[in-house]
Amino acid sequence: MFIQTESTPNPATLKFLPGQTVLETGTADFTTAEAAASSPLAKRVFAVGNVSGVFFGTDFVTVTKDDATDWDHIKPALLGAIMEHFQSGDAVMEGESGSPAGHAAHDGPDGDIVDQIKELLDTRVRPAVAQDGGDITFHGFDKGVVYLHMQGACAGCPSSTLTLKMGIENLLRHYIPEVLEVRPVAA
């Protein structure tokens, strides 16, 4: 088995491509070792140490390291843990397999606007950020402000503000005049 790695715009995050499906649908985001209890793969990655986050996409695993740790010190152990997991035949997730859409539900007014926002995120934004090892999902819409949740490589990325303001906000405002601003939300 050969696992490729790719750098991401976030220097604290590295994308691992095992060459096979990680999650059939949706994504999974683990910000602590305790949160990884439902994932044998995430538990193995956190067990390497100096890991502050693990994110799964359909064909990749994104790992965020502690700031004080150098990639040269933990990358070989992470490659070993990921390879060992896939060779073991263990499931990536126990029980449910991640969030299919990833978006928060929206009840109330502005349902049509929210549907348009989610459609644009799914077709234009999420595929692009997945290439960088992350995901951006809808969290809420209130008085013209769209709230988005950033995961994986997008969470804590130095260029995430630029991505939100210059990229996503401009895109949404262009297609949906009711959108005035885009803001990130904490996990």
Side-chain angles (χ1 to χ4, degrees):
M1 174 178 211
F2 179 72
I3 300 173
Q4 294 181 355
T5 60
E6 292 180 1
S7 59
T8 72
N10 184 346
T13 305
L14 196 60
K15 184 177 174 182
F16 294 82
L17 298 140
Q20 61 190 62
T21 301
V22 177
L23 285 182
E24 292 290 333
T25 58
T27 61
D29 191 24
F30 307 99
T31 54
T32 65
E34 294 75 29
S38 64
S39 172
L41 174 55
K43 285 192 281 190
R44 278 189 178 152
V45 172
F46 274 107
V48 167
N50 301 315
V51 171
S52 61
V54 179
F55 179 81
F56 300 151
T58 53
D59 65 347
F60 65 88
V61 175
T62 302
V63 178
T64 304
K65 67 175 182 64
D66 294 342
D67 289 337
T69 306
D70 190 274
W71 279 117
D72 293 338
H73 293 112
I74 66 167
K75 183 177 170 183
L78 290 169
L79 285 164
I82 295 168
M83 184 177 301
E84 181 180 290
H85 174 81
F86 282 104
Q87 290 176 339
S88 74
D90 290 345
V92 171
M93 298 285 293
E94 295 170 345
E96 62 183 77
S97 64
S99 58
H103 298 302
H106 179 82
D107 298 330
D110 303 321
D112 290 343
I113 294 169
V114 169
D115 289 344
Q116 291 176 46
I117 292 167
K118 289 179 180 180
E119 177 69 22
L120 283 169
L121 289 173
D122 287 342
T123 59
R124 301 275 182 107
V125 176
R126 294 177 81 191
V129 296
Q131 289 180 332
D132 287 337
D135 197 11
I136 297 178
T137 57
F138 174 82
H139 185 78
F141 180 72
D142 184 39
K143 298 178 184 148
V145 180
V146 178
Y147 296 92
L148 300 177
H149 183 216
M150 304 177 86
Q151 300 172 301
C154 295
C157 178
S159 60
S160 65
T161 302
L162 185 64
T163 299
L164 274 180
K165 291 294 179 185
M166 301 305 292
I168 300 168
E169 184 175 290
N170 287 344
L171 173 80
L172 293 177
R173 289 177 68 185
H174 175 77
Y175 287 103
I176 308 167
E178 294 85 354
V179 172
L180 304 175
E181 184 181 359
V182 173
R183 294 183 191 163
V185 295

